[in-house]
Every structure is written in C-alpha cells, then in structure tokens.
Amino acid sequence: MPHRPYIVGNWKMNGTRAMLTEARAIDRAAARHPGVQVALAPPFTLVHAVAEETQAVGTGGQDCHTAAKGAHTGDVSAAMLADAGADFVIVGHSERRRDHGETDTLVQAKAEAALAGGLGVIVCVGETLAERDAGKAEAVVTMQVKASLPKLDEGAKANPARMAVAYEPVWAIGTGRVAAVEDVVAMHGAIRATLLSLYGESGAAVRILYGGSVNAENARDLLAADGVGGALVGGASLNAESFLAIVAAAASEA
Ligand code: PEP
C-alpha cells in the first residue's frame, strides 16, 4: 500500500452524545495503531464534541456548502466545520446525491470550497447496479471523478494529500453486498489513471478508498488489494469493536 492506510467511519444520521463513548474507545485504540490514519465523520451536531474528545482520530463533516457563509438555512460551510474542530469533510456521498439531487458540478464546487476552507476532502463516486450490469461502471465512475473532483488549480496541486476519492458502488452501500476484489482493483486502477490525467504526478498522492459494506470479515482482503488506500465505513463504524477490527486489519497491511 503506497500511502498510510486511511480508515474513515461515516456515522451518517446516527449518534447522539451517548455515542461519544464509542468515539473515545476508537480514539484510544487508534493511538495504538500509528501506522493507520483513523477518522470519524459524525453528524454535524457531534463534530465539535468528537474533535474535542479525541486526539488520535481525525474528525470530519459529512457535507459542506459551496459558500463560506450567507443565507443558506440549514447548511454548514467548510469554515464552520473547521471552526468546530473538523479537519476534513466528505462530499458527494451517494445518499446526498440521491436524497438532495446533488450533481457532479455541485459536488465539485463543494470539494473546492472544502480545500479553500482549509479542510481535507473525501469525494465519493460509484456506479448503480443497473450501470454495472450494463457494463458501464468504469465509464460512469471515470466521468464522476473528472466532474466531481476539484479543478486543477493551485489549491488542488498544493493539496493532493488532502484529497481522497472514495469508490463506493451504490449497490454495496448498507446492503451487505461487497464488490469483488478484482472489480475493486480494476476500478481503483481506472480512478488512479484518471487522477494522473487530471493532476499530473500530484495525482499519485490522492488516496483512493473503497466503501460498501466493509466489515471485520472482509476488510483484510479489501485492504490488501492493489490500489486500495483505505476504507470508508458506514454501518460497521457505529460500534467501536467492529470499527476497530477494520483498523486492526489495516494495521496488519500497513
Ligand atoms: C457509506 O455509506 O459510506 C458506507 C460505505 O456504508 P456501509 O459501510 O454501511 O455500506
């Protein structure tokens, strides 16, 4: 694995302050695995508390607005996330694309706003089952990467290590269905080639994570696969024990 493996828990719309117990347990264990970069993306309401109560774990938001501030009721900017203690943000998750009609153009603007606001950014891409069955998975994902990642400018060039792409086949999210390792390897190869074409040699520093029903049982095989730089984990990140089993699998691959 060329980069320090990056294991990110996406809590989605789950968690009240009682979940801080899990965050603290994850933090204690992450400190024992310095070879793995561990992070949590709790709901906005817990970003500040998770950031305050953890040291070894990064803290992120699950979305940000394209603007730094203004009349956008219910939205949160990258600057606000940074002020709350976040160091990164996830943008373009398929649940936001589905629930909020987010397009590649909007996701790109959010990713650029994240970098401009001083945050790292994880941009999610992935095909639907119909697109995979039609043999279009690679074309769809390549297009999403080109259209959703920050445009090549000084920000993106200066910050390749602050950027990650999460390849998350939509049909594998929260379903218990995991992509075959050979398909993950092929897709990660296609994404890397696209990153190099977008950013030149800086594209080699962008991490590529796999997401979609990663758990303690399948993590080792997925994380050992060629080109897989880590995992974006939904359901299995809600519980310290199951999330830490994935972190331990990453440590054994590091
Ligand atoms: C996700 O939503 O980013 C995700 C990968 O979810 P799950 O692990 O539950 O499939």
Side-chain angles (χ1 to χ4, degrees):
M1 215 179 278
H3 308 284
R4 189 174 166 224
Y6 188 26
I7 306 297
V8 183
N10 171 16
W11 283 2
K12 309 192 184 193
M13 197 174 73
N14 295 294
T16 57
R17 282 178 298 161
M19 278 282 281
L20 294 173
T21 313
E22 302 301 312
R24 285 190 290 266
I26 290 166
D27 186 54
R28 283 192 298 275
R32 296 195 291 273
H33 293 296
V36 182
Q37 186 178 352
V38 182
L40 290 173
F44 289 140
T45 48
L46 293 179
V47 165
H48 183 63
V50 169
E52 288 281 298
E53 300 218 11
T54 58
Q55 278 94 46
V57 163
T59 307
Q62 299 171 13
D63 178 48
C64 68
H65 197 273
T66 56
K69 61 177 182 171
H72 302 289
T73 302
D75 280 312
V76 170
S77 72
M80 289 168 171
L81 284 170
D83 182 60
D87 47 75
F88 75 99
V89 62
I90 298 169
V91 297
H93 192 282
S94 62
E95 288 156 9
R96 291 210 56 89
R97 292 177 187 257
R98 179 196 68 201
D99 296 349
H100 301 274
E102 294 196 3
T103 61
D104 288 336
T105 309
L106 180 64
V107 173
Q108 181 180 57
K110 290 184 174 199
E112 289 172 352
L115 289 180
L119 296 176
V121 65
I122 299 175
V123 181
C124 301
V125 295
E127 81 284 358
T128 63
L129 191 56
E131 288 163 343
R132 175 153 290 274
D133 288 345
K136 293 183 184 155
E138 227 167 271
V140 166
V141 169
T142 299
M143 201 53 212
Q144 287 178 334
V145 172
K146 283 185 181 156
S148 307
L149 265 82
K151 287 189 283 294
L152 179 61
D153 63 5
E154 291 314 310
K157 262 196 283 187
N159 287 299
R162 297 186 66 85
M163 291 165 46
V165 176
Y167 167 54
E168 301 204 303
V170 176
W171 49 270
I173 294 178
T175 59
R177 291 187 58 185
V178 187
V181 170
E182 57 270 29
D183 291 338
V184 173
V185 170
M187 190 64 85
H188 281 226
I191 293 171
R192 177 65 67 207
T194 309
L195 290 170
L196 292 171
S197 79
L198 285 175
Y199 299 127
E201 60 190 33
S202 297
V206 179
R207 265 88 54 92
I208 309 176
L209 318 180
Y210 170 78
S213 297
V214 177
N215 60 34
E217 286 72 50
N218 59 32
R220 194 175 291 266
D221 285 348
L222 287 162
L223 292 167
D226 233 19
V228 176
L232 182 54
V233 183
S237 72
L238 294 173
N239 167 277
E241 196 183 332
S242 54
F243 188 57
L244 291 170
I246 297 168
V247 173
S252 69
E253 289 304 320

